Amino acid sequence: MLRVCALYPDLMNIYADRGNLLVLERRCLWRGIGFELSASGLGEPLDAERHDLYYLGGGQDRDQRLCAADLVERKREALHTAAARGAVVLGVCGGYQLLGHSYTLGEEQIAGVGLLDVRTVRSEGPRLIGNVAIEASLPDGAGPAAQRGTAAARDHVLAGFENHGGRTQLGAEALALGRVLKGHGNDGRSGLEGARRGSIVGTYLHGPLLPKNAWFADWLIARALAIDPGELAPLDDRLERAAHLGARRAAGV
Ligand code: GLN
């Protein structure tokens, strides 16, 4: 049984965040794995033990502001506890920014939950928009070897779409999710995209991330269930592969 909790699903949901959740649901149900979706919104508590995967989607600056205060005040501790016991925490775009230490807009600094050692600054420059492809570095499994970081890292391509004004810098403790093949990534300069620490993942790729990268949906499912992705029953992924290749082509990879 995969138990997923969507954080602020009515506010942090631009660019196909609901579709990402649907992909997780379908890929579990097709395999006979139970699936439970809960939500935690503004003012609601968050249970650190009840869920295997916590999802925080993208949002406009305005909605992010609303959620950030609540996230830090009411949900920060539970998220840290959940992550420490190996639950997956996935932040996409605005959600990724809030998993870091801070999101600065001019004079204003919005605090994040500090699960990832990253900081984001809204720059005066143009928004970073377009199709994007990265080579992600993820350990193959969720087993003890992978957790020690000793499993052979396998590189995979993730393809998606990005649209952000914020530029994200990785701190010394942050590991990028991957290397940019095409597109802007974290800041349009570093050649890096996203961040990861164990089962905590942040990325700017959305529009929609998981329908275009079914292999990554499976990686997340496996990680959340603490099994190796190879233990998941194979599915007929002809359509998913076509969607993936289409997204790669759109990015020119
Ligand atoms: N508001 C954030 C930015 O523009 C994130 C946008 C998003 O989630 N697409 O940087």
Side-chain angles (χ1 to χ4, degrees):
M1 159 80 93
L2 182 76
R3 301 162 308 166
V4 174
C5 182
L7 295 159
Y8 316 104
D10 48 344
L11 288 167
M12 300 290 281
N13 65 3
I14 52 175
Y15 291 125
D17 292 300
R18 272 188 293 264
N20 286 336
L21 295 171
L22 265 177
V23 168
L24 294 174
E25 177 188 80
R26 295 293 155 80
R27 295 186 76 75
C28 283
L29 296 183
W30 287 334
R31 293 178 166 118
I33 301 171
F35 183 88
E36 181 190 277
L37 178 63
S38 326
S40 179
L42 287 179
E44 290 171 353
L46 184 64
D47 194 321
E49 307 295 330
R50 246 194 87 72
H51 314 286
D52 310 303
L53 190 152
Y54 296 77
Y55 183 85
L56 184 56
Q60 311 288 358
D61 292 345
R62 168 185 80 241
D63 296 326
Q64 267 177 281
R65 227 175 246 122
L66 278 176
C67 296
D70 184 83
L71 196 65
V72 170
E73 229 167 90
R74 307 188 77 111
K75 301 180 175 61
R76 183 180 181 281
E77 219 176 291
L79 275 178
H80 277 263
T81 306
R85 67 172 171 81
V88 171
V89 181
L90 174 64
V92 175
C93 204
Y96 165 36
Q97 295 170 343
L98 296 186
L99 292 186
H101 298 298
S102 58
Y103 178 30
T104 307
L105 302 108
E107 303 284 284
E108 179 189 7
Q109 188 171 86
I110 301 175
V113 290
L115 279 170
L116 293 171
D117 183 19
V118 305
R119 289 175 197 281
T120 302
V121 176
R122 184 83 142 88
S123 107
E124 289 298 313
R127 293 184 70 80
L128 305 178
I129 305 178
N131 292 299
V132 51
I134 71 169
E135 194 174 298
S137 284
L138 294 168
D140 271 349
Q147 275 165 8
R148 283 198 306 276
T150 50
R154 193 173 55 176
D155 286 328
H156 300 273
V157 172
L158 280 173
F161 183 79
E162 61 184 327
N163 180 354
H164 50 107
R167 266 72 169 168
T168 300
Q169 303 292 335
L170 305 185
E173 280 172 43
L175 207 71
L177 174 61
R179 199 170 57 82
V180 175
L181 299 173
K182 277 285 164 65
H184 304 288
N186 280 335
D187 59 1
R189 277 202 296 241
S190 62
L192 301 174
E193 203 292 313
R196 186 175 74 84
R197 180 164 67 85
S199 299
I200 309 161
V201 180
T203 178
Y204 274 117
L205 270 63
H206 47 186
L209 173 67
L210 300 184
K212 287 177 177 171
N213 301 284
W215 71 264
F216 184 54
D218 283 354
W219 187 88
L220 293 167
I221 292 169
R223 187 91 191 190
L225 295 175
I227 59 172
D228 275 4
E231 289 177 51
L232 290 172
L235 295 173
D236 174 0
D237 273 340
R238 275 171 293 183
L239 282 175
E240 287 78 359
R241 262 195 292 278
H244 178 71
L245 291 176
R248 285 172 70 144
R249 267 196 303 276
V253 172

